Amino acid sequence: MSEILSELATAVIEGNSDDAIDLTEDALDDGLEPQNILDNGLMPGMDHVGVEFRAGNMFVPEVLRSARAMQSAMDVLKPLLVEGGVEMAGKILLGTVKGDMHDIGKNLVGMMCEGAGFEVKDMGKNIAPEDFVTAVKEFNPDIVGMSALLTTTMRSMGHTIKALQEAGLRDQVKVMIGGAPVTQSFADKIGADGYASNAASAVDLAKQFAGV
Ligand code: B1M
């Protein structure tokens, strides 16, 4: 890895958005390709964050800072990546289900997935099954991600899967669910394709779904 890319990875790990932007611009000025900057600067930084988060060596506020630094750099790179026709890893439609206002974990999942190269459309919170259906038709995602933090709102995940089935869209998408009260057995029960217990595992699962 060139020195500037290793500094960029460090900026992401340390959650330093200003450095992440400056170094991304410097790398572009030095003639590095946007894809190279993404794959060998930003991604290794975010991968490291995922490993440390899973190991309990980094905590939510630090991970959020890293994700924001990654996103700031991605704001610089994204138009160039799109212009250059670079393929994203896949498209994820994300939302917190109906009746549920908790979005911190969902936001973290979205940022980490963006960091891993996915195009993420975040619908926000309190998203009804029919709104997921409409958004699937419009955005055509590879993965639908749902988050719930309340035992009372978890059931809306099942309702959303049913609504996708009824709209004939279920086979077009993988459904990934998560949130504190959610378990693998609940995912199995409602017919989700997978469950992730934290943001780093959500990235792994999304990559597995996308075959990357
Ligand atoms: Co609320 N709340 N809350 N709350 N709140 C909990 C969830 C609760 C456990 C607190 C408690 O009583 N001990 C409890 C739920 C009990 C239950 O259902 N069993 C609770 C309650 C009861 C409520 C209210 C009903 C309180 C009231 O008004 N009486 C109310 C409900 C409002 C509503 O949603 N309709 C309410 C309101 C709120 C606030 C608005 C004040 C605020 C939310 C602010 C916000 O999100 N913008 C809030 C908060 C902050 C919490 C706690 C304290 C923290 C949640 C959080 O952000 N954790 C929470 C108690 C706790 O967890 N200690 C609590 C940090 C976050 C990073 O973790 O969301 O678990 P988490 O996300 C993780 C994983 O779960 C996973 O990855 C994330 C990152 O590793 N993950 C996914 C999450 N989504 C995923 C999706 C995936 C994959 C992985 O794939 C798509």
Side-chain angles (χ1 to χ4, degrees):
M1 201 196 297
S2 81
E3 196 177 327
I4 196 159
L5 293 180
S6 133
E7 285 174 26
L8 191 50
T10 304
V12 170
I13 293 163
E14 292 178 350
N16 190 330
S17 293
D18 289 343
D19 277 7
I21 292 171
D22 289 348
L23 287 161
T24 300
E25 286 170 345
D26 289 350
L28 288 168
D29 289 345
D30 284 357
L32 271 67
E33 290 294 330
Q35 184 73 63
N36 183 14
I37 298 171
L38 178 63
D39 290 346
N40 299 312
L42 297 173
M43 297 283 210
M46 212 57 206
D47 284 346
H48 182 86
V49 170
V51 170
E52 293 298 312
F53 180 51
R54 235 189 318 251
N57 298 327
M58 276 179 92
F59 300 98
V60 170
E62 297 162 282
V63 176
L64 282 173
R65 262 199 305 278
S66 289
R68 272 188 215 110
M70 172 88 193
Q71 219 164 28
S72 308
M74 277 303 285
D75 287 344
V76 177
L77 283 186
K78 229 188 217 163
L80 302 168
L81 290 167
V82 173
E83 202 176 273
V86 170
E87 290 250 325
M88 301 297 276
K91 285 161 79 170
I92 303 179
L93 181 71
L94 195 60
T96 300
V97 296
K98 186 176 178 182
D100 201 317
M101 302 301 166
H102 297 85
D103 66 356
I104 298 169
K106 183 264 299 166
N107 294 346
L108 191 51
V109 168
M111 285 193 256
M112 297 270 290
C113 286
E114 276 213 334
F118 286 88
E119 183 182 350
V120 177
K121 182 173 174 62
D122 187 341
M123 299 177 70
K125 50 196 173 186
N126 190 23
I127 306 300
E130 58 272 24
D131 294 331
F132 274 105
V133 168
T134 304
V136 167
K137 288 179 186 161
E138 285 171 6
F139 183 59
N140 196 21
D142 304 292
I143 300 167
V144 173
M146 287 184 273
S147 180
L149 263 285
L150 299 173
T151 43
T152 49
T153 57
M154 281 164 73
R155 71 184 68 150
S156 187
M157 294 174 153
H159 298 158
T160 304
I161 292 176
K162 210 162 170 220
L164 289 170
Q165 266 157 1
E166 283 166 6
L169 298 166
R170 179 64 186 94
D171 293 342
Q172 294 178 27
V173 292
K174 293 282 188 191
V175 174
M176 167 167 83
I177 63 171
V182 178
T183 59
Q184 182 61 56
S185 69
F186 179 72
D188 295 340
K189 191 172 143 202
I190 65 168
D193 294 298
Y195 150 77
S197 63
N198 59 52
S201 309
V203 170
D204 291 343
L205 188 59
K207 282 182 173 171
Q208 191 186 311
F209 286 154
V212 292

